[in-house]
Amino acid sequence: MTPTTMTATQAGEFRAAGTDLSERRRSGVSTGPLIDISAAPDTIGMHWGAEGSLRIGAFTTIAAIAADARLAAAYPGIAASAQGLATPQVRHLATLGGNLAQRSRCWYFRNPHIACLKKGGSDCPARSGNHLYHVAFDLGPCVAPHPSTMAAALLAYEAKITTDRRSSLTIGDLLGDGSNGTADNALQPGELIKSVALPSPLQGERALYKRAISRTHAEWPLVELCARAVIRDGAFQFVRLAAGGIAPVPLRLVAVEATLQGKQASAATIASAAEQATSGAKPLPMTGYKLDLLKGVVQDLLERLTA
Amino acid sequence: MKIALLPSDQGELKALSLTAYADTGAATNSTIAALARLIYPAEGKELADFDVISNLPAGAPFRGPGGPPMAFALEQAIDEAALRMNVDPIALRKRWDPDPNRQRLYDWASSLDVWRNRKPIATQSGRYRRGVGVATGYWLYLWQPRSKVEVAVKGGRLVASTATQDIGTGTRTVIANTVAREFGLEPHEIDVRIGDSKLPEGPGSGGSRVTASVIPPMLLAIEKLKAAIQQNAKRQPAPGSNAPWREWLAASPDLSASGVRPEDSRQMAPGIESPLKQAGFMGWIFGWMMRRFSNLVIGAGMPSSVQVIEVEVDTWLGHVRVVNVHTGIAVGKIVAPALAHSQAAGAVIQGIGYALYEAREVDSRTGDVLSGGMEDYRIPGIADTPVIDVHFDQGGFDHVLGGSVGIGEVATVPTSPAVANAILNATGVRLTELPIRPDRLVAALKGRAAA
């Protein structure tokens, strides 16, 4: 049977660019049939709406998103996130849909010799093992952070996802709330992401992206943040902060947003708001440092947004 | 590792104690503390190495095994002593470390602008803080007895042969450059034959021994071959020729000569001696055993390195950026300058990886290696590579025929303590665990233990 004659109900793992999948095939973590998928005109590229909204086809590469000048002007947080993830080689192949649907980077999940919840096992070996790079917001049985940088950025922009079966899915609908440790997302078997819709940007909004890592580039984030703000008359009129690398799903930092809403944009306000970034955190024994880094990136981006 | 230094009332080094427990996994014979024997002489030294044996895979830093961890402890302890004694860290090393090769490197290091302009410890308060650190490294000068090189004329071309190999360290170029220099030719005109055990016995590639093992016998072979060429030449070079050997070779029948690694000259510069001499009779026994059972000689004089490193610390995100590195290296005469420069720079980059990124992470219950791929085992990338200034001090090995010893291990030894000392200078916080990752740095800056 050739991939093109397969129907969505038949079991098989989708392969777009294969940047994530090829490593799992080689290691033996991924076995079984593959379904090669390819772009159609409506599932690739930028489709601008009349009122300045944008629909991005799921097959659009990360590099194309990173390089699009109109997108960077309207949605700087999306562009900066795309520029900041992975390596140039990966960005030139990897697709937006693939980035959202990629599998966990947990080193227990990636090890073919170790069972885990995401591979049919009965418990999470990272929870009681070496979880240096894992969650600091312990929201479910699996302690691997969600790997998608674009998901955090899209959460900050309140994007909606269309699949071949459903439309208007939020990032929360797409990825779940972190309580299901067996999956990296809440897509149904065989469901395929088609496009992502971004609402029109707000008047005068600015946005930035930052990841805390040990090297300069090319490293999975310890903590990452996409931050948007509208500052009018020196006060925060609108703030959206979405963080990755800290929880099984990207998280809105609602406590920080609420603290800043309507407040004057001063160094003191920002410093005290940054302390709220860890509200609700439940770090593991080895991940307490991520809370320091989270406060650091929040303060960094808010200071730069108000500069 | 546990380390303690005892300065005397006069500011001399009286005693040094270093105990190392190495996570050797299913292996033994770690040599970390023992390497502190051969630097910073003191009245008393208590050095002990323990292997912690487990079912984990064996492992140690690959380049200069034992050297980088020894230096990470010792060079930070020296830095701490300088701080507490209120002495310039390079001046204290000059006082405590009489090795003539390193004395010259200390003079070079203390004259660097980056060192002279460094700020006092922890005087900065912003998010980003810069600091400058110094550290010293050494390695043993090793050579392999019975190493033999044949140099021949075949069809008018020069062919040098020995059963050694080039694992990317430049052996082939060292041989080609040496023969070319002696005959006034270009290196590409020399055929180098290595990588075949049928060739004359050559050295193994390990312990930085190859250069010092192949150049002396090669120079002997060249001397003999030159005499044979002149004797057997069908015609003489034109009078006043500016390339006489080109003409001798063109007129030469096929000839060959070989040389075997000679003993080094006993005429040594002041202060240069075998490091085993310090160990007295035990040193003599050890040297005899090394030669008898390992076919390796520990020669006189110490390949040495001193590095001055500037870092910038992001105190919010625990990120360390190495801004610039000055690496001073004394390994005698440099035979292949481009490759030696590359080795020195590569050693700094590798040392930065050891200091900041590299760690084998395992699952504590099963021993499974978790950092088995390049995404989870971090090494420096291009953006992590600083500006690297390489300084070669070309003296110190005149007792070795040709004057050159190996550079491989010594060039990487001091990088991690120099980075740690620079972080201390910037922030006032001393990092004693490797790698110096963001989690460790933010924990240390907040005065709590890392996970």
Side-chain angles (χ1 to χ4, degrees), chain B residues 268-291:
Chain B
M268 283 173 274
I272 300 278
E273 59 173 19
S274 166
L276 297 176
K277 271 210 174 141
Q278 286 178 34
F281 183 65
M282 283 305 291
W284 186 86
I285 296 277
F286 182 71
W288 180 83
M289 284 175 65
M290 285 282 284
R291 189 186 275 250

Side-chain angles (χ1 to χ4, degrees), chain B residues 298-386:
Chain B
I298 299 174
M302 283 179 140
S304 297
S305 53
V306 173
Q307 291 180 359
V308 176
I309 294 184
E310 183 176 24
V311 302
E312 182 181 84
V313 180
D314 177 349
T315 56
W316 288 7
L317 302 183
H319 183 259
V320 177
R321 185 166 72 90
V322 180
V323 182
N324 62 62
V325 175
H326 300 266
T327 180
I329 296 172
V331 288
K333 287 192 184 131
I334 299 300
V335 189
L339 298 193
H341 187 280
S342 186
Q343 281 243 28
V348 165
I349 297 166
Q350 199 167 3
I352 289 170
Y354 181 69
L356 300 179
Y357 313 125
E358 291 187 59
R360 183 188 65 184
E361 296 287 344
V362 298
D363 176 54
S364 55
R365 292 152 307 183
T366 61
D368 273 312
V369 175
L370 300 170
S371 51
M374 299 309 283
E375 300 203 25
D376 293 315
Y377 189 92
R378 293 155 173 78
I379 60 170
I382 290 167
D384 307 308
T385 302

Side-chain angles (χ1 to χ4, degrees), chain B residues 90-401:
Chain B
I90 297 178
L92 187 65
R93 285 172 173 84
K94 271 204 81 166
R95 190 192 300 171
W96 285 2
D97 178 13
D99 184 273
N101 291 339
R102 289 191 292 275
Q103 287 283 322
R104 296 193 305 277
L105 292 175
Y106 293 139
D107 290 339
W108 161 80
S110 56
S111 73
L112 293 168
D113 284 345
V114 69
W115 182 257
R116 294 210 310 246
N117 297 335
R118 78 175 196 149
K119 297 190 178 88
I121 178 173
T123 46
Q124 303 158 69
S125 58
R127 170 181 175 180
Y128 295 97
R129 298 175 206 171
R130 286 204 175 194
V132 182
V134 66
T136 294
Y138 81 90
W139 194 249
L140 298 167
Y141 152 41
L142 301 170
W143 60 271
Q144 186 169 320
R146 299 200 303 268
S147 296
K148 190 173 176 183
V149 181
E150 182 196 84
V151 185
V153 186
K154 287 204 174 92
R157 278 182 75 84
L158 283 164
V159 184
S161 314
T162 181
T164 187
Q165 55 284 315
D166 191 334
I167 57 170
T169 46
T171 303
R172 198 180 283 279
T173 310
V174 163
I175 294 172
N177 282 11
T178 303
V179 178
R181 189 190 65 220
E182 294 297 317
F183 284 93
L185 302 177
E186 295 298 320
H188 67 82
E189 296 177 280
I190 313 301
D191 293 335
V192 179
R193 292 173 66 215
I194 56 175
D196 185 343
S197 3
K198 293 195 196 78
L199 299 172
E201 179 178 335
S205 290
S208 303
R209 78 179 76 167
V210 177
T211 295
S213 297
V214 299
I215 289 181
M218 184 159 47
L219 291 174
L220 294 182
I222 288 168
E223 200 183 321
K224 284 192 241 170
L225 184 67
K226 278 181 169 177
I229 291 169
Q230 288 174 324
Q231 229 165 41
N232 292 289
K234 286 169 267 182
R235 57 179 185 275
Q236 302 291 309
S241 167
N242 60 4
W245 281 108
R246 205 174 284 284
E247 295 185 42
W248 284 116
L249 286 167
S252 173
D254 285 2
L255 293 168
S256 83
S258 57
V260 176
R261 177 59 161 90
E263 297 294 323
D264 286 339
S265 164
R266 289 178 181 277
Q267 302 294 312
M268 283 173 274
I272 300 278
E273 59 173 19
S274 166
L276 297 176
K277 271 210 174 141
Q278 286 178 34
F281 183 65
M282 283 305 291
W284 186 86
I285 296 277
F286 182 71
W288 180 83
M289 284 175 65
M290 285 282 284
R291 189 186 275 250
R292 177 77 180 77
F293 300 112
S294 302
N295 196 30
L296 211 50
V297 174
I298 299 174
M302 283 179 140
S304 297
S305 53
V306 173
Q307 291 180 359
V308 176
I309 294 184
E310 183 176 24
V311 302
E312 182 181 84
V313 180
D314 177 349
T315 56
W316 288 7
L317 302 183
H319 183 259
V320 177
R321 185 166 72 90
V322 180
V323 182
N324 62 62
V325 175
H326 300 266
T327 180
I329 296 172
V331 288
K333 287 192 184 131
I334 299 300
V335 189
L339 298 193
H341 187 280
S342 186
Q343 281 243 28
V348 165
I349 297 166
Q350 199 167 3
I352 289 170
Y354 181 69
L356 300 179
Y357 313 125
E358 291 187 59
R360 183 188 65 184
E361 296 287 344
V362 298
D363 176 54
S364 55
R365 292 152 307 183
T366 61
D368 273 312
V369 175
L370 300 170
S371 51
M374 299 309 283
E375 300 203 25
D376 293 315
Y377 189 92
R378 293 155 173 78
I379 60 170
I382 290 167
D384 307 308
T385 302
V387 176
I388 302 170
D389 158 42
V390 179
H391 164 79
F392 288 119
D393 181 297
Q394 302 210 25
F397 292 91
D398 296 338
H399 53 290
V400 184
L401 188 56

Side-chain angles (χ1 to χ4, degrees), chain A residues 2-254:
Chain A
T2 63
T4 48
T5 62
M6 276 188 167
T7 64
T9 53
Q10 285 171 309
E13 198 170 355
F14 288 129
R15 177 164 61 188
T19 56
D20 166 17
L21 186 67
S22 56
E23 185 212 329
R24 284 184 287 117
R25 297 298 281 191
R26 202 175 300 124
S27 68
V29 169
S30 168
T31 54
L34 295 179
I35 303 170
D36 277 310
I37 50 176
S38 54
D42 65 326
T43 59
I44 191 164
M46 313 291 167
H47 306 268
W48 291 91
E51 67 296 347
S53 64
L54 173 63
R55 196 170 55 77
I56 309 173
F59 279 95
T60 312
T61 65
I62 300 300
I65 293 169
D68 191 294
R70 188 173 171 191
L71 183 150
Y75 306 101
I78 300 284
S81 298
Q83 285 157 14
L85 70 86
T87 62
Q89 292 91 331
V90 169
R91 292 197 293 270
H92 276 275
L93 280 173
T95 64
L96 177 59
N99 184 276
L100 293 170
Q102 67 183 302
R103 301 303 312 273
S104 172
R105 296 308 311 181
C106 173
W107 49 21
Y108 288 94
F109 172 72
R110 295 266 157 183
N111 189 320
H113 308 296
I114 301 174
C116 85
L117 292 169
K118 285 184 164 49
K119 294 185 289 189
S122 58
D123 70 345
C124 172
R127 178 177 291 282
S128 53
N130 186 330
H131 49 252
L132 183 61
Y133 297 114
H134 291 65
V135 300
F137 288 70
D138 186 8
L139 305 179
C142 166
V143 297
H146 199 276
S148 174
T149 291
M150 295 313 294
L154 295 175
L155 180 64
Y157 279 90
E158 296 170 67
K160 297 285 168 57
I161 289 93
T162 300
T163 72
D164 58 347
R165 295 175 203 172
R166 297 182 283 170
S167 60
S168 292
L169 300 178
T170 63
I171 288 292
D173 297 332
L174 180 73
L175 302 182
D177 60 3
S179 62
N180 178 6
T182 65
D184 291 299
N185 56 60
L187 287 165
Q188 299 157 0
E191 187 176 14
L192 185 63
I193 299 170
K194 293 286 213 183
S195 66
V196 172
L198 292 163
S200 313
L202 303 172
Q203 191 72 35
E205 78 164 85
R206 300 178 66 191
L208 290 167
Y209 168 81
K210 172 80 181 174
R211 64 171 59 188
I213 46 179
S214 59
R215 292 191 300 201
T216 308
H217 296 302
E219 188 173 313
W220 294 92
L222 304 171
V223 173
E224 62 185 336
L225 183 74
C226 182
R228 301 166 65 203
V230 177
I231 295 153
R232 198 154 291 153
D233 304 325
F236 284 102
Q237 195 179 57
F238 172 89
V239 190
R240 283 291 177 279
L241 303 173
I246 54 167
V249 290
L251 288 186
R252 277 266 303 274
L253 304 179
V254 289

